[in-house]
Every structure is written in C-alpha cells, then in structure tokens.
Amino acid sequence: MPTKRDYYDVLGVNKGASVEEIKRAYRKKALEYHPDRNKASDAEEKFKEVNEAYEVLTDSQKRQTYDQFGHAAFDPASGFGGFGGQARTGRTGPFTYTYYSGGGANPFADFGSGDFSDPFEIFESFFGGASPFRRGPVKPHYSLKISFLEAVKGTEKTVIHRGKTHTVRIPAGADNGTRIRFGDFDVSIDVLPDNIFKRDGDDVFVEHSIPVTLAVLGGTTQVPTVDGEAVTLRVRPGTQAGTTVRLREKGVPYLQRSGRGDEYVRFLVEVPKSLTREQRRLLEELQEMGL
C-alpha cells in the first residue's frame, strides 16, 4: 500500500497555518490539479489528495487528531474509525470523483459567494458550465463584467431576467468566479484586469517606479492605493530595485468577514534613457569617485 503524503505538504502550508491560509492554499491546488484543466496522468489522484487534506485540516477536531496520530487516525483498519459519513460518487468524461460528506467542513464552501451546498458545483465555479452531477433543471446563469476597483469596493449592477430588471449587489472583495444567487437565476462575476493593481487572494501588488536619485539619496514618494488616496511612503537611502514594502490592511476587503488584506509595493528604479551634458558630466565625476 503506497505511503500517504503529509497533508500539510500536500497543500504546501506549515503546521501552524491558519484556516484562512489553508483555504487559500486549497483554492490554488484544486485549480492546479483539477482534471478538467490538468491533463497529467496523476492529476486526478492529486486532486483527490488535495481534497482529502483540506477535509482534515479545516476541521479542528480532525486536525488535532491528525497532528497527534497521523494518517492512522483515519484508517479504519487502525481502530480509529476513519472519516465516517457517506461517500457520493460522480463521473465526468473519463474521470470519477468521490466526495465524503460526513463530518467536517465542506471544502467548496468558500468558493464564490460561500453558498455552495453541492460540492460538485466546483465545475460551475471554475469552468462556467453546469455540474454533471446536478439533478433537475439548471437555473439560468448570467455573467457580469466589472472593473478591478468595483470588485474591491463593491458595486451594483442590473440583470434583466425574463423581462424584469433585477438589481445585483456585488459585495466588496468579490473576485473572479464569485457567485451570487437569486431565487430563479445565478450571477457570476468576471473581474477585468487593472493597469496598476494586481491581486493575489486578498492582497494587492503594485509596481512603483522611482528615479535613481531618490533610490540613492532617499526621500518620499506617493504610492496609489485601492482606496483612491495616495499614501506617502518613505524611501530609504540606497534602496535597491525590487525592494518590496508592505502596507498593512490596504488590500482587498475580506469577502465573508471583517478586515482586509495588505498592499505590497515593489520599487522599480528608473534609469534615464538620455542625459544632458551637465548630467553626464556629474555622473562621470561620481564614477571617478568610485560611486
């Protein structure tokens, strides 16, 4: 029987990782190994492995048991009793999936708006199509394109469904794939890229250019934020290109709780493409001085 990998290694987190960190890691791994995206021969097995790790590490009791006894805690042959609950199996194309519904946290609860009751709706969230495991009629689905800053701050859009206009309130912190449910139709969000801000989870990244003189001598610079107000940031003398500064709680609001992520500012040092004669002369003097 093959040896199982450590659940923390499977998700790429350390043993002290918070539930939020585990959820973020799970999202990335589930997307990476989902067989509808990853055609590697071992993708299906890794996808199941990732879901199994998530099932354990997001349930406080299971995680505590796993930390103490390892995989033996969930092996029926070991006397611990295994996961328990019922298994549901579905199939799409050549792939078969099993979902264990008993006990712990639903690994798909935080995708989209956090309202997934059917774990196989991962197909709808990731790929925009109906789940091959859903029974009954499929609800109409609309996709709304919004700007990056609208997703960060929240906004309202309208959807015309069966001749009637509905107002859709998009919460602050929405992201690509966020799903909003109405009684007889669903809406998913498509966030357009921004020229300044890049997003990773709830964090925002900005590449900010500064002149070479500011990098060498130090001073201050104005850095944009998603709030629309620039922040004055101190540049230390001798700052190197690629230096990154963290602005706490200047990122994206958390979608399902209070607080927000951080903003990371990466300095790019601008080297002038052309110089005046005087500028060149001064630089040559500095060069002679060994600077």
Side-chain angles (χ1 to χ4, degrees), residues 88-117:
R88 295 173 55 193
T89 300
R91 183 177 181 85
T92 179
F95 304 112
T96 301
Y97 305 98
T98 301
Y99 171 73
Y100 296 90
S101 60
N106 178 356
F108 299 95
D110 272 354
F111 281 95
S113 63
D115 190 31
F116 287 96
S117 58

Side-chain angles (χ1 to χ4, degrees), residues 56-277:
V56 172
L57 298 185
T58 53
D59 183 289
S60 58
Q61 291 183 343
K62 288 182 179 179
R63 183 175 180 178
Q64 183 178 1
T65 303
Y66 174 74
D67 288 345
Q68 186 174 0
F69 300 105
H71 290 291
F74 308 103
D75 182 358
S78 68
F80 285 98
F83 280 105
Q86 296 180 345
R88 295 173 55 193
T89 300
R91 183 177 181 85
T92 179
F95 304 112
T96 301
Y97 305 98
T98 301
Y99 171 73
Y100 296 90
S101 60
N106 178 356
F108 299 95
D110 272 354
F111 281 95
S113 63
D115 190 31
F116 287 96
S117 58
D118 181 352
F120 295 114
E121 287 179 7
I122 190 170
F123 289 90
E124 298 180 16
S125 176
F126 286 172
F127 311 111
S131 167
F133 311 109
R134 178 184 294 283
R135 296 180 180 177
V138 178
K139 290 198 299 182
H141 170 262
Y142 301 94
S143 178
L144 289 178
K145 292 184 181 294
I146 63 175
S147 71
F148 181 91
L149 291 179
E150 285 178 326
V152 171
K153 298 178 180 181
T155 187
E156 289 186 351
K157 298 290 182 179
T158 58
V159 169
I160 299 177
H161 176 64
R162 294 178 180 172
K164 184 178 179 181
T165 300
H166 298 265
T167 299
V168 178
R169 187 183 68 82
I170 300 171
D175 201 355
N176 278 315
T178 295
R179 183 177 292 267
I180 302 172
R181 297 188 165 203
F182 284 77
D184 51 358
F185 67 92
D186 291 349
V187 173
S188 63
I189 305 303
D190 184 9
V191 182
L192 300 174
D194 190 83
N195 293 330
I196 299 175
F197 303 103
K198 308 300 178 186
R199 180 173 177 176
D200 183 6
D202 298 312
D203 295 328
V204 170
F205 292 80
V206 175
E207 290 190 338
H208 183 67
S209 296
I210 58 175
V212 65
T213 50
L214 180 59
V216 173
L217 301 175
T220 60
T221 185
Q222 297 290 305
V223 177
T225 69
V226 293
D227 296 323
E229 298 180 357
V231 171
T232 300
L233 201 59
R234 180 169 174 257
V235 179
R236 297 179 181 275
T239 292
Q240 302 297 306
T243 297
T244 301
V245 178
R246 177 186 182 186
L247 302 178
R248 290 183 179 274
E249 297 189 350
K250 287 294 184 181
V252 179
Y254 297 138
L255 189 59
Q256 295 178 322
R257 58 188 175 89
S258 61
R260 59 194 298 181
D262 302 323
E263 177 176 330
Y264 292 86
V265 181
R266 181 173 179 263
F267 288 128
L268 304 179
V269 179
E270 292 180 341
V271 177
K273 296 181 179 179
S274 61
L275 299 172
T276 65
R277 288 184 179 180

Side-chain angles (χ1 to χ4, degrees), residues 10-28:
V10 168
L11 295 180
V13 297
N14 59 49
K15 289 193 174 182
S18 65
V19 173
E20 188 65 32
E21 289 173 326
I22 291 172
K23 289 178 180 179
R24 286 201 297 266
Y26 171 76
R27 292 186 184 101
K28 292 180 180 179

